[in-house]
């Protein structure tokens, strides 16, 4: 049988790297496009797939090279992870964020319609779309109320994907992904930042870490499992949109406590707001402090998703939950510091 071909944009990011490994394991020929130069190469190296993905020049800002790439590869599946993916950065770079995350998807879908209309398309949509729609569990019918330039840009991409499915009859799906983390996360995200800091602090390599809003509540799952759900979305008889989430929500403060505990440090909290501090309960040393540098002009208070549709239709369910995830990430950081192989 002919090998299936997949094209992954943003393949050196967390999800792109995990999905590359997953698809290679399924016998796909995997093509990757990434603007980030070599800065994400470490992920492919750690996953042991460094020379297995075929790199292709494709930039979401440039329509012609998207069409060229599609005509050359003729992919069966396209997964779009290329994005300006940091919520905080989007407040200072709203136009760039829109160019890549919103109009970039228009360029990609339009190129697909022309050059590969039968290809199946996955858009990395996001729980950030729900923004301030309250604390109830979100499902595929919940309204959106984006609260950052990032979320607004992703809202355009989300609806455009739906529109190409309906109006152009293309196989296009949105995965509405709640926060999904792993040892391959960038250190800009709070989970990995904390896991890496807790590990370094436990080894005496760092004194403390500064963070922002401790009260934000998030639904954190394991990215390695989420890429399986994305692939399943493209294997169905009909295209549709699906939420991937764990259904549990925990605060940033809880994530910090669990991560430090996994590194052997029990934390005690004192103070309020910017004056709040987390101290090592044994030594009294300040290990966590709050800085306004990490606060957002508007933050999403609480996110929790209901993945019942994905469970029912795709047979997908998260296996790793909050109970295990901070420890898994701290173990990986300790292994890195000790020069050992990281479990990914
Ligand atoms: P996001 O949900 O995609 O924005 O993922 P992040 O990991 O960047 O942020 C998750 C939540 O943690 C947000 O509510 C942030 O405001 C909060 N947070 C608190 N401190 C920090 C920090 O130091 N860095 C980041 N990135 N987020 C923080």
């Amino acid at each position: 049988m002919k090998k299936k071909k997949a094209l992954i944009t943003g393949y050196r990011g967390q999800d792109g790297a995990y999905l590359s490994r997953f698809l290679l394991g399924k016998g796909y020929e995997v093509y990757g496009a990434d603007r980030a130069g070599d800065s994400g190469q470490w992920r492919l190296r750690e996953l042991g797939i460094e020379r297995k993905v075929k790199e292709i020049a494709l930039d979401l800002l440039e329509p012609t090279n998207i069409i060229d790439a599609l005509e050359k590869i003729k992919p069966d599946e396209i997964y779009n992870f290329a994005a300006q993916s940091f919520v905080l950065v989007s407040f200072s770079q709203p136009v760039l964020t829109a160019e890549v995350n919103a109009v970039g998807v228009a360029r990609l879908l339009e190129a697909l319609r022309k050059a590969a209309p039968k290809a199946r398309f996955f858009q990395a949509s996001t729980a950030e779309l729900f923004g301030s729609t309250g604390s109830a569990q979100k499902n595929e019918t919940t309204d959106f109320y984006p609260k950052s330039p990032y979320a607004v840009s992703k809202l355009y991409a989300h609806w455009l994907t739906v529109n190409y499915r309906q109006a152009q009859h293309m196989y296009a799906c949105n995965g509405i992904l709640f926060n999904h983390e792993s040892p391959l996360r960038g250190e800009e995200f709070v989970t990995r930042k904390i896991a890496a800091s807790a590990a370094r602090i436990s080894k005496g390599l760092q004194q403390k870490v500064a963070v922002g809003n401790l009260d934000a509540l998030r639904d954190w799952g394991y990215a390695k499992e989420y890429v399986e759900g994305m692939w399943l979305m493209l294997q169905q008889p009909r295209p549709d949109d699906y939420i991937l989430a764990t259904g549990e929500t925990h605060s940033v403060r809880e994530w910090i406590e669990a991560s430090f505990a996994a590194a052997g440090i029990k934390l005690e909290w004192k103070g309020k707001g910017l004056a709040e501090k987390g101290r090592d309960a044994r030594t009294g040393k300040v290990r966590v402090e709050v800085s306004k540098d990490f606060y957002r002009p508007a933050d999403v208070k609480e996110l929790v998703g209901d993945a019942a549709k994905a469970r029912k239709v795709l047979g997908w369910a998260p296996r790793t939950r909050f109970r295990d995830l901070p420890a898994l990430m701290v173990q990986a950081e300790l292994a890195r510091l000790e020069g050992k192989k990281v479990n990914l």
Side-chain angles (χ1 to χ4, degrees):
M1 215 175 80
K2 225 173 107 243
K3 268 191 165 191
K4 272 197 173 180
K5 293 182 193 171
L7 168 61
I8 302 175
T9 70
Y11 81 108
R12 289 199 186 99
Q14 167 186 265
D15 294 2
Y18 270 127
L19 183 68
S20 293
R21 182 178 68 175
F22 179 76
L23 294 179
L24 287 165
K26 289 213 165 283
Y28 279 64
E29 209 171 306
V30 181
Y31 292 82
D34 208 306
R35 289 191 97 196
D38 279 347
S39 69
Q41 196 63 16
W42 62 274
R43 295 190 175 94
L44 306 179
R45 207 161 33 242
E46 283 198 350
L47 288 172
I49 55 167
E50 205 176 359
R51 271 170 289 277
K52 299 195 175 142
V53 179
K54 299 186 170 100
E55 186 160 14
I56 183 111
L58 184 159
D59 192 318
L60 288 191
L61 299 181
E62 192 54 65
T64 317
N65 76 54
I66 304 177
I67 294 191
D68 288 350
L70 293 176
E71 280 175 346
K72 189 165 154 208
I73 302 168
K74 298 243 173 280
D76 300 288
E77 296 171 11
I78 293 125
Y79 296 85
N80 182 38
F81 300 124
Q84 191 303 94
S85 61
F86 307 126
V87 173
L88 180 59
V89 168
S90 78
F91 286 96
S92 57
Q93 300 187 359
V95 178
L96 175 71
T97 302
E99 277 294 351
V100 181
N101 298 8
V103 189
V105 177
R107 293 186 193 98
L108 190 50
L109 282 167
E110 208 27 39
L112 268 175
R113 187 172 74 81
K114 291 216 172 88
K118 294 265 177 290
R120 298 187 165 201
F121 176 73
F122 173 85
Q123 166 63 12
S125 199
T126 167
E128 288 285 317
L129 299 186
F130 296 116
S132 55
T133 48
S135 61
Q137 279 206 342
K138 319 291 180 203
N139 63 33
E140 290 80 1
T141 63
T142 308
D143 285 340
F144 299 132
Y145 191 152
K147 285 194 80 178
S148 62
Y150 168 81
V152 174
S153 72
K154 284 281 191 173
L155 185 72
Y156 174 96
H158 182 94
W159 281 118
L160 200 70
T161 301
V162 173
N163 185 259
Y164 271 69
R165 181 167 77 226
Q166 293 175 346
Q168 309 294 350
H169 310 292
M170 284 167 47
Y171 193 112
C173 302
N174 285 295
I176 308 172
L177 312 169
F178 281 66
N179 296 53
H180 46 294
E181 315 298 320
S182 76
L184 298 183
R185 216 16 163 168
E187 272 204 51
E188 303 84 350
F189 292 87
V190 75
T191 52
R192 170 105 198 283
K193 172 174 166 177
I194 295 302
S197 295
R200 284 196 291 258
I201 289 170
S202 76
K203 297 236 172 237
L205 301 169
Q206 183 180 324
Q207 285 304 310
K208 58 187 175 184
V209 59
V211 295
N213 181 9
L214 290 167
D215 297 315
L217 294 152
R218 288 292 182 275
D219 179 334
W220 282 297
Y222 189 16
K224 179 169 133 180
E225 297 166 5
Y226 283 45
V227 302
E228 299 174 13
M230 301 174 200
W231 175 76
L232 285 168
M233 288 179 210
L234 297 198
Q235 315 308 314
Q236 303 306 309
R238 265 181 226 91
D240 206 344
D241 305 323
Y242 300 89
I243 281 180
L244 299 184
T246 70
E248 278 181 42
T249 191
H250 296 273
S251 67
V252 170
R253 189 183 279 99
E254 283 176 88
W255 182 277
I256 296 174
E257 280 167 12
S259 302
F260 275 81
I265 300 168
K266 184 176 163 17
L267 283 183
E268 262 173 14
W269 300 97
K270 271 215 184 89
K272 279 221 152 53
L274 286 173
E276 184 162 2
K277 300 215 182 321
R279 290 174 199 273
D280 183 327
R282 197 172 51 83
T283 64
K285 286 206 172 122
V286 173
R287 296 307 191 192
V288 185
E289 59 188 18
V290 179
S291 158
K292 59 177 181 332
D293 293 349
F294 298 104
Y295 271 86
R296 293 157 186 194
D299 201 8
V300 175
K301 259 199 215 134
E302 176 169 6
L303 285 174
V304 56
D306 171 7
K309 181 175 168 185
R311 188 171 292 118
K312 186 159 168 252
V313 181
L314 307 176
W316 179 88
R319 301 182 290 276
T320 306
R321 297 171 175 280
F322 184 83
R323 192 178 56 226
D324 307 311
L325 195 52
L328 181 156
M329 287 178 62
V330 170
Q331 290 312 322
E333 296 303 330
L334 290 168
R336 282 184 179 128
L337 291 174
E338 290 160 10
K340 293 186 185 146
K341 194 170 158 24
V342 184
N343 188 9
L344 296 165

